[in-house]
Amino acid sequence: MATGKLKIDIRRRAILEQLNRDGRVSVLQLSEKMGITPATIRNDLDTLAMEGQLDRIQGGAVRKLQPAEGWAVTPSPVGPGKRAIAEAVLSYIRDGDTLFINSGMTTMAVAEVLCLRKKLNIVTNSLSVANYLAHQADIRLILLGGELNANYGFTYGGDALEQLSRYQPQWSILSVDGVHPEHGITTYHSDEAMIDRTMIAQAQKTIIVAEHRKIGRVGFSHICGLDQNQTLVTDGGCEESVLEKVRSAGATVHVARL
């Protein structure tokens, strides 16, 4: 029993040493490096988080943050669907990439795992995403100005659009309210539809993040149709026949593993 406890302590000390060195750790990387299961690593990270030695995020952990007064950085609670989608999106992003990110619960989940990448350049109109990423020293963050939708925490309008026109990132990552094979990509927020449309137009490629309940749904405001520069990342639960129609419309479909 004592030997087992010692091995656990050595392993967790090694995790903290890597975390202090790199600023972040990934469950999968630690699992491969140490030759143990991801479940064991998750348990180690959960325990270390409860002890206050690190901050847990989806897919890994980051060094314990010391936020400025008045800033909240607690990761948002998300369900398994959003968590799986976020971790799937991370597989597309490399160190040094440039990204647009819009507002939404699913893009907030994505923001939390982006801490596992280094030297990212991120432009967002989401107050929540900006609030969280502002504490990550290895991320260059630009928050769009403009008019504010205080209820949903995003900026929009002419000033925001003018700022967006200056950038041409590799990726736009968008949370939306509807993905339909015929009616395309839609949102309930007309204020943000133009922002989303511009993000798609300016970026090289777009990742649409949407849980299965949004596939086949049509929102109030049309953003754009589906095309070959878009990848839909969704969770399990959507009928394959609907996903096949999305593929036929031109988009790539990535079903995240729960």
Side-chain angles (χ1 to χ4, degrees):
M1 182 68 69
T3 301
K5 180 64 165 62
L6 179 62
K7 289 181 179 178
I8 293 173
D9 289 343
I10 291 173
R11 186 175 69 241
R12 291 177 180 172
R13 186 160 60 246
I15 290 172
L16 291 173
E17 288 174 356
Q18 181 172 336
L19 182 64
N20 290 331
R21 182 174 65 252
D22 298 337
R24 69 208 73 198
V25 291
S26 160
V27 169
L28 294 180
Q29 290 172 347
L30 288 172
S31 174
E32 292 174 0
K33 180 180 179 180
M34 297 183 175
I36 55 179
T37 66
T40 300
I41 293 295
R42 292 189 188 97
N43 181 65
D44 287 340
L45 296 180
D46 289 342
T47 299
L48 292 169
M50 286 189 291
E51 294 174 354
Q53 301 193 63
L54 52 78
D55 282 325
R56 192 77 162 87
I57 63 171
Q58 297 164 55
V62 294
R63 189 184 295 127
K64 188 71 179 175
L65 298 173
Q66 299 297 327
E69 185 177 354
W71 283 71
V73 296
T74 304
S76 56
V78 297
K82 288 185 176 66
R83 183 176 298 109
I85 289 171
E87 292 179 356
V89 169
L90 190 65
S91 68
Y92 292 89
I93 308 303
R94 298 292 176 261
D95 292 349
D97 277 358
T98 53
L99 304 88
F100 285 152
I101 302 178
N102 76 345
S103 67
M105 291 296 293
T106 310
T107 41
M108 184 62 217
V110 172
E112 291 169 12
V113 302
L114 288 177
C115 300
L116 298 173
R117 295 289 181 261
K118 299 178 180 179
K119 300 185 183 304
L120 298 179
N121 291 275
I122 296 175
V123 178
T124 184
N125 72 324
S126 167
L127 300 188
S128 296
V129 169
N131 190 13
Y132 184 79
L133 293 178
H135 302 277
Q136 310 304 321
D138 210 19
I139 289 177
R140 181 173 181 244
L141 177 69
I142 296 172
L143 173 62
L144 296 175
E147 298 179 67
L148 174 65
N149 183 316
N151 289 332
Y152 291 96
F154 65 80
T155 58
Y156 67 99
D159 289 341
L161 291 171
E162 194 278 329
Q163 282 184 266
L164 279 176
S165 68
R166 304 174 193 170
Y167 309 112
Q168 295 180 307
Q170 293 158 294
W171 301 98
S172 60
I173 303 176
L174 304 181
S175 175
V176 300
D177 295 303
V179 179
H180 192 280
E182 297 175 3
H183 298 282
I185 303 167
T186 53
T187 177
Y188 289 133
H189 303 293
S190 57
D191 292 339
E192 196 172 34
M194 182 61 76
I195 294 290
D196 294 346
R197 194 176 303 126
T198 304
M199 285 182 171
I200 291 171
Q202 292 291 111
Q204 295 176 24
K205 294 184 178 181
T206 294
I207 298 176
I208 302 296
V209 292
E211 291 178 281
H212 68 275
R213 59 188 177 84
K214 296 182 178 181
I215 312 304
R217 177 187 291 180
V218 179
F220 175 69
S221 296
H222 183 259
I223 298 171
C224 67
L226 296 166
D227 63 42
Q228 68 274 11
N229 288 324
Q230 300 161 359
T231 297
L232 167 65
V233 180
T234 187
D235 56 341
C238 186
E239 292 183 9
E240 180 58 34
S241 60
V242 178
L243 295 180
E244 190 55 42
K245 290 179 181 178
V246 172
R247 294 186 184 97
S248 297
T252 300
V253 175
H254 182 150
V255 179
R257 296 171 58 186
L258 295 178

